[in-house]
Amino acid sequence: MPGTPTAAPAPAPVPADLPALWLRDNCPCTECRDPRNGQKLFQITELPAHPAVGEARSLTAADGGPGWQVRWEPDGHLSHYADAWLAEHAPLTPAPGAAAGPAVGDGRTETDKELWAAADLAGRLPEADWDAYTSSREVREQALADVVRLGFVLLRDVPCRDRMVLDVARTFGFVRETNYGELFEVRVEADPNNLAFTGARITPHTDNPYRDPVPTLQLLHCLTNEARGGDSGLVDGFHAAALLRAQDPEAFAVLTRVPVDFAFADARTELRAQRPLIDVDPLGRIREIRFNNRSIATLRQPASVLEEFYDAYRTFAELLQRPSLQLDFRLAPGDCVVFDNTRLLHARTAFAESGARHLQGTYADLDGLLSSLAVLRREGARA
Ligand code: OGA
Ligand code: ZN
Ligand code: ZN
């Protein structure tokens, strides 16, 4: 269930009590896995269809334990399993009444997040100073963990250099180049191909919903912000979706099942993607929000679907516009906000086009950030 904490590892189970094919598939021997990289060497179809634990012998520290040696029927294959491995990987106990589960998160769904409204973050914005971020493993780990848990981090005093936003992205991942280039300039342009490049107000949205896969991270680095207006806002879309589920479960269900077309076109580009506004994982946990009133296309659906979709879309939009959900702040030169574009919506107020305002933005992906965070944690555990 959403929000259920991950269960602590159970005590080591014994091999005979475990699903045999699962246990055999996880044999760590060098015939089964390449010892240089841990990669599996066989196909599932190459295993006996119904392996059984023939003989299980308890191993003591003297003969490589604590753990078990298993001789498999019918083929006599020998496997060794450490108790520590068995304890760590023991099958989970399903939550009462759950069809599947329980909830071990992949780091991407609501299970692994701290959902927030604006007041929850008052006085405790997740932020880090650039010098500390680049020089301290702990600060970097905390900042990346904040992106995973809260959906964003605000880096302060990032040098106001042209293209610096790319260097920021490369501290934890890989720049995702798009039709906008490696980076995009957010400033008033004479012939804007996007409302972002005008002084207009931009209501809460996720970026580039017309791409599949969508860029899962976005960075905005402020170089100049002298215009009147142009303040920033962030909304936790997972929180809003969870509120919708509580308040109007049918509207939530509609938004998870109706595919929505998003489109973007200019002289050189024609992008389309079709995804729901709220994407859930196989256990029903909120995993991805796409919301962008500017680039939603004309939907082609049966009339009854259009009617129920528009009702639900409007209800969700009203929720997303609740002032209590939106965290307001102002980017100052040197601020770089890094945020989860599958979860947070971002916004800005209108600004006077006569005033100077210049951000540089880029996209990156959460898989790289999660990997960097895991490696930092590994290094921390070793230190
Ligand atoms: C964008 C955007 C917000 C801003 O470029 O995607 O939403 O503060 N910009 O200008
Ligand atoms: Zn083996
Ligand atoms: Zn945007």
Side-chain angles (χ1 to χ4, degrees), residues 63-377:
D63 44 17
W68 293 87
Q69 175 183 279
V70 172
R71 180 182 301 280
W72 290 98
E73 303 287 352
D75 61 353
H77 189 76
L78 278 183
S79 304
H80 292 87
Y81 301 99
D83 276 352
W85 185 90
L86 290 166
E88 194 181 341
H89 296 89
L92 300 169
T93 310
V104 171
D106 69 350
R108 296 282 298 273
T109 73
E110 59 181 314
T111 303
D112 295 310
K113 311 299 184 187
E114 181 183 332
L115 307 192
W116 52 264
D120 300 322
L121 297 183
R124 52 173 285 250
L125 286 187
E127 57 187 355
D129 172 74
W130 177 251
D131 283 342
Y133 173 85
T134 50
S135 59
S136 156
R137 194 199 60 76
E138 285 83 4
V139 173
R140 214 153 53 245
E141 178 182 326
Q142 182 60 49
L144 301 186
D146 284 339
V147 177
V148 176
R149 191 171 53 94
L150 297 170
F152 72 107
V153 70
L154 206 47
L155 300 175
R156 306 283 199 186
D157 288 320
V158 177
C160 286
R161 271 205 304 274
D162 182 42
R163 301 173 66 81
M164 184 67 200
V165 70
L166 301 177
D167 292 350
V168 177
R170 289 177 181 130
T171 61
F172 56 73
F174 304 92
V175 169
R176 172 96 83 94
E177 191 171 354
T178 70
N179 57 297
Y180 299 111
E182 270 187 314
L183 62 79
F184 49 92
E185 308 282 356
V186 187
R187 63 183 167 201
V188 173
E189 288 186 357
D191 184 18
N193 68 349
N194 192 307
L195 277 182
F197 313 143
T198 72
R201 167 186 185 217
I202 300 185
T203 53
H205 64 282
T206 63
D207 258 35
N208 290 208
Y210 39 77
R211 272 182 232 287
D212 188 15
V214 76
T216 49
L217 284 173
Q218 183 170 352
L219 291 83
L220 289 171
H221 179 212
C222 178
L223 297 173
T224 313
N225 199 1
E226 281 155 20
R228 216 157 15 85
D231 293 346
S232 301
L234 290 172
V235 177
D236 184 353
F238 281 16
H239 185 208
L243 289 173
L244 180 68
R245 180 175 53 202
Q247 166 191 317
D248 190 341
E250 185 46 32
F252 177 87
V254 166
L255 296 188
T256 63
R257 71 174 179 243
V258 175
V260 177
D261 294 279
F262 291 96
F264 174 87
D266 68 8
R268 296 181 310 126
T269 310
E270 189 149 336
L271 291 160
R272 289 192 82 81
Q274 193 188 66
R275 302 291 306 160
L277 297 194
I278 302 174
D279 216 353
V280 294
D281 80 351
L283 300 185
R285 301 175 295 194
I286 300 163
R287 193 170 197 280
E288 206 163 288
I289 305 295
R290 279 185 205 230
F291 194 94
N292 193 314
N293 66 302
R294 285 172 286 145
S295 52
I296 193 164
T298 302
L299 308 193
R300 304 271 337 264
Q301 295 277 350
S304 62
V305 174
L306 291 173
E307 276 167 16
E308 66 176 7
F309 170 77
Y310 266 89
D311 273 349
Y313 174 34
R314 192 187 163 88
T315 304
F316 190 38
E318 279 167 358
L319 251 168
L320 287 166
Q321 283 169 33
R322 272 193 198 166
S324 62
L325 291 197
Q326 182 167 318
L327 180 73
D328 296 310
F329 58 102
R330 186 176 172 86
L331 289 173
D335 289 345
C336 182
V337 58
V338 180
F339 56 95
D340 178 347
N341 187 50
T342 65
R343 171 182 173 195
L344 297 199
L345 291 82
H346 59 287
R348 69 145 192 253
T349 61
F351 62 94
E353 296 202 358
S354 54
R357 185 177 190 273
H358 183 197
L359 316 181
Q360 285 184 329
T362 193
Y363 301 111
D365 283 301
L366 273 166
D367 59 347
L369 184 145
L370 286 162
S371 165
S372 296
L373 177 58
V375 170
L376 286 171
R377 286 186 167 145

